[in-house]
Amino acid sequence: MKILVCISHVPDTTSKINFTENDTKFDTNGVQFVINPYDEFSLTRAMWFKEKQGASVTVVNVGGPETEPTLRKALAIGADDAIRVNTMPTDGFLVAKELAEVVKNGGYDLVLAGKESADYNGQMVPGMLASLLGFDFVNGCVGIEVDGTNATLDREIDGGEEKVSSSLPLVVAGQKGIVEEKDLRIPNMRGIMMARKKPLSVVEASGASASTTTTTFEKPAPKGDVKLVDNVDDLINLLHNEAKAI
């Protein structure tokens, strides 16, 4: 089984976010980038398939040279090889179209990704990728088993979980539950050294065009002052007359 894991290069969630050029560009100065946490869950599950079922695991990212340390970390975790599509990921549809070309050229059986990236939270790329490929798609996946060319999956729904089945090839968007947080892997020194020797291929983009453009960014409004009250009656009065919450 050939598995492709889509990796987004995102700011660490503890990073302080700023914008430049009149709030039209993201300021990367001083920002540490990491593997998108949702993608890391899916990557860890792919490693399970590699170790238990002999699957090969390739990781892919759409981005510039600055994303290669993130791909190297994925290789240190245990992926066999990496691909970087050399173009800026300015739009979800552009990313999906470039990933579709990688899947078509690589003949992958299973494509794993996170349900969304932790920066833009678009939740669009995996679904669009499946549509472009004509593959079945399972979103919000919290469990997956593969037997031959058949897959059994659990996905999160409102109020519970749903069990579905599909045949390969398949696109799966995972989240916490596809593996647990305690099962995520930290690269050790041996993995880091081996990752330096693993192939990281750079392929030129197919020329896909973005469908949307970003016009401006805006930070959330700062939190207001906190009011402290001494008794329940004052709290109820404030909630009723000032906050209009009750």
Side-chain angles (χ1 to χ4, degrees):
M1 178 169 60
K2 293 183 66 176
I3 301 175
L4 182 70
V5 183
C6 304
I7 300 292
S8 290
H9 172 80
V10 302
D12 187 284
T13 53
T14 61
S15 299
K16 186 176 181 181
I17 302 302
N18 290 301
F19 304 105
T20 62
E21 299 182 30
N22 199 26
D23 292 336
T24 61
K25 302 290 183 183
F26 173 58
D27 185 2
T28 60
N29 291 322
V31 176
Q32 180 180 354
F33 285 81
V34 298
I35 298 174
N36 177 45
Y38 294 109
D39 298 339
E40 194 168 1
F41 286 120
S42 291
L43 174 60
T44 304
R45 188 60 181 174
M47 297 312 305
W48 187 93
F49 286 123
K50 176 181 176 179
E51 293 163 1
K52 303 296 183 182
Q53 299 180 211
S56 65
V57 178
T58 299
V59 291
V60 62
N61 166 263
V62 177
E66 69 279 358
T67 70
E68 291 188 9
T70 298
L71 286 173
R72 288 291 179 193
K73 181 181 177 182
L75 291 172
I77 288 172
D80 298 301
D81 60 299
I83 300 170
R84 178 174 68 82
V85 181
N86 189 31
T87 189
M88 294 305 296
T90 54
D91 164 83
F93 193 37
L94 178 149
V95 171
K97 286 189 282 189
E98 296 297 345
L99 291 175
E101 291 301 313
V102 173
V103 176
K104 291 173 185 176
N105 293 331
Y108 296 97
D109 305 297
L110 178 63
V111 181
L112 294 172
K115 69 172 185 176
E116 62 182 345
S117 62
D119 47 6
Y120 289 98
N121 304 108
Q123 295 196 34
M124 64 179 75
V125 171
M128 290 193 293
L129 175 59
S131 179
L132 290 168
L133 294 168
F135 288 6
D136 287 347
F137 172 56
V138 177
N139 196 19
C141 183
V142 293
I144 176 173
E145 300 288 345
V146 178
D147 182 8
T149 59
N150 298 311
T152 303
L153 310 100
D154 298 308
R155 61 181 299 269
E156 189 176 82
I157 60 174
D158 189 18
E161 292 183 6
E162 176 186 37
K163 186 176 289 292
V164 297
S165 61
S166 176
S167 59
L168 302 181
L170 175 68
V171 176
V172 174
Q175 61 183 55
K176 182 179 178 181
I178 198 169
V179 296
E180 293 303 321
E181 197 163 350
K182 63 181 178 62
D183 296 321
L184 296 176
R185 305 182 181 196
I186 299 174
N188 55 32
M189 184 56 65
R190 181 172 181 271
I192 293 170
M193 297 302 292
M194 290 180 64
R196 295 178 180 178
K197 301 179 181 179
K198 292 180 178 178
L200 194 163
S201 304
V202 179
V203 299
E204 292 305 318
S206 67
S209 300
S211 298
T212 60
T213 57
T214 300
T215 56
T216 187
F217 294 98
E218 183 178 348
K219 289 186 178 182
K223 294 182 179 179
D225 295 333
V226 175
K227 289 187 177 181
L228 300 178
V229 294
D230 296 323
N231 57 70
V232 174
D233 289 338
D234 288 343
L235 175 61
I236 293 173
N237 179 58
L238 287 171
L239 289 173
H240 182 72
N241 296 309
E242 186 171 320
K244 309 296 183 182
I246 59 175

